[in-house]
């Protein structure tokens, strides 16, 4: 669970996870400036504190490295803002444990949902869905979902290749290019339960441009 300034929600998310299943929980505190670190250290979970805010890519690579080096066969990524439907953790894990796929994604767009995505964010998600389809003839409807389960093979790829910036779509592109199986299951998303998103309109625009370039370079270089 990557966390940056999530003091309002992180304890609730951890409690909800514990209510649904018995799993090991790792919080990667990405240089939070609020009480996130203080709170998680009192909750009996594993914590890695990054000294400075280094971004979601570094936080997730740190988590995957920990999971891989400690012998875990599967890992689930969950946001700390309280938006994810934690009832679906079991199903995501079941998909990878039963070897149905290498990555299972909790998707907001497989079926009609009560969650309302802001227009420009939804536009960007649909844009990348089309881009990945044009490149790999595979539809991924929720390309930026931060609710994912992966197996150990993908975990190793992530700890070696996960980019520092804008990581979700380039890694999806890499997995599809190398014929890993990616599957989406429908999930309901909640409104952010506290804090605020770190991405603004300008960041989103830069994200689209940079990520498109990365995916195209990756595709044509056949990395």
């Amino acid at each position: 669970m990557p966390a940056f300034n999530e003091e309002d929600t992180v304890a609730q998310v951890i409690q909800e996870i514990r209510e649904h299943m018995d799993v090991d929980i790792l919080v990667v505190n990405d240089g939070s400036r609020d009480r996130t670190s203080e709170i998680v250290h009192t909750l009996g979970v594993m914590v890695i504190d990054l000294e400075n805010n280094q971004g979601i890519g570094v936080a997730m690579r740190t988590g995957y490295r920990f999971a891989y080096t400690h012998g875990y066969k599967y890992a689930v990524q969950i946001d700390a803002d309280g938006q994810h439907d934690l009832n679906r953790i079991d199903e995501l894990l079941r998909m990878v444990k039963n070897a149905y796929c290498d990555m299972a994604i909790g998707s907001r767009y497989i079926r009609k949902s009560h969650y309302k995505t802001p227009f420009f964010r939804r536009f960007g998600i649909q844009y990348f869905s089309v881009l990945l389809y044009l490149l790999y003839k595979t539809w991924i409807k929720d390309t930026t979902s931060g609710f994912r389960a992966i197996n150990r093979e993908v975990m190793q790829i992530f700890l070696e290749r996960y980019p520092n910036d804008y990581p979700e779509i380039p890694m999806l592109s890499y997995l599809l290019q190398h014929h890993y199986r990616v599957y989406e299951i429908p999930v309901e998303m909640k409104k952010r339960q506290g804090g605020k998103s770190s991405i603004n309109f300008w960041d989103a625009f830069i994200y689209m441009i940079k990520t498109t370039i990365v995916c195209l370079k990756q595709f044509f270089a056949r990395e």
Side-chain angles (χ1 to χ4, degrees):
M1 182 191 307
F4 175 62
N5 292 343
E6 299 289 4
E7 65 179 6
D8 294 335
T9 57
V10 66
Q12 177 187 342
V13 173
I14 289 170
Q15 180 59 34
E16 288 186 22
I17 294 172
R18 287 171 166 166
E19 288 173 358
H20 287 96
M21 59 193 314
D22 181 20
V23 294
D24 294 335
I25 301 173
L26 169 68
V27 176
V28 181
N29 171 41
D30 188 19
S32 296
R33 295 185 291 270
D34 63 2
R35 295 179 58 248
T36 297
S37 176
E38 177 186 341
I39 290 168
V40 295
H41 275 284
T42 68
L43 295 175
V45 299
M46 297 177 288
V47 185
I48 296 176
D49 284 304
L50 301 182
E51 185 173 350
N52 302 303
N53 177 235
Q54 300 183 53
I56 184 65
V58 174
M60 288 310 306
R61 191 167 63 247
T62 299
Y64 290 131
R65 180 179 296 111
F66 178 94
Y68 189 84
T69 56
H70 286 80
Y72 289 91
K73 294 181 179 179
Y74 311 101
V76 180
Q77 176 184 345
I78 299 168
D79 289 347
D81 59 12
Q83 287 190 285
H84 292 155
D85 180 4
L86 302 181
N87 287 303
R88 308 295 274 174
I89 294 176
D90 274 336
E91 186 170 355
L92 287 173
L93 275 172
R94 187 162 56 248
M95 300 300 291
V96 293
K97 283 183 176 180
N98 293 342
Y100 188 86
C101 60
D102 301 294
M103 171 191 279
I105 300 173
S107 173
R108 295 162 281 189
Y109 309 121
I110 294 293
R111 64 187 180 198
K112 189 173 181 179
S113 169
H114 297 295
Y115 179 76
K116 302 300 181 185
T117 309
F119 173 78
F120 287 109
R121 179 170 294 185
R122 182 65 188 269
F123 173 80
I125 291 168
Q126 292 177 332
Y127 166 81
F128 285 114
S129 292
V130 172
L131 176 64
L132 292 179
Y133 179 78
L134 292 175
L135 295 178
Y136 305 112
K137 299 301 182 285
T138 301
W139 281 114
I140 303 294
K141 299 204 172 195
D142 199 346
T143 52
T144 63
S145 173
F147 192 19
R148 304 173 169 193
I150 61 172
N151 62 20
R152 186 168 173 82
E153 187 174 355
V154 173
M155 203 185 303
Q156 182 177 15
I157 292 170
F158 280 7
L159 70 88
E160 293 172 351
R161 301 187 62 93
Y162 218 73
N164 291 351
D165 296 319
Y166 318 119
E168 292 92 350
I169 295 163
M171 291 315 304
L172 266 178
S173 176
Y174 181 89
L175 293 179
L176 294 175
Q177 182 177 8
H178 292 83
H179 308 293
Y180 287 91
R181 298 160 299 162
V182 179
Y183 187 83
E184 293 180 280
I185 67 167
V187 298
E188 188 64 54
M189 294 282 284
K190 297 177 282 188
K191 290 183 180 180
R192 172 180 273 270
Q193 303 298 296
K196 62 180 182 178
S197 174
S198 60
I199 299 176
N200 57 37
F201 175 80
W202 181 247
D203 289 334
F205 179 74
I206 298 297
Y207 172 89
M208 289 183 66
I209 299 300
K210 285 188 174 181
T211 302
T212 299
I213 292 170
V214 169
C215 288
L216 291 175
K217 286 176 65 177
Q218 188 170 269
F219 176 78
F220 288 109
R222 299 293 179 183
E223 295 179 350

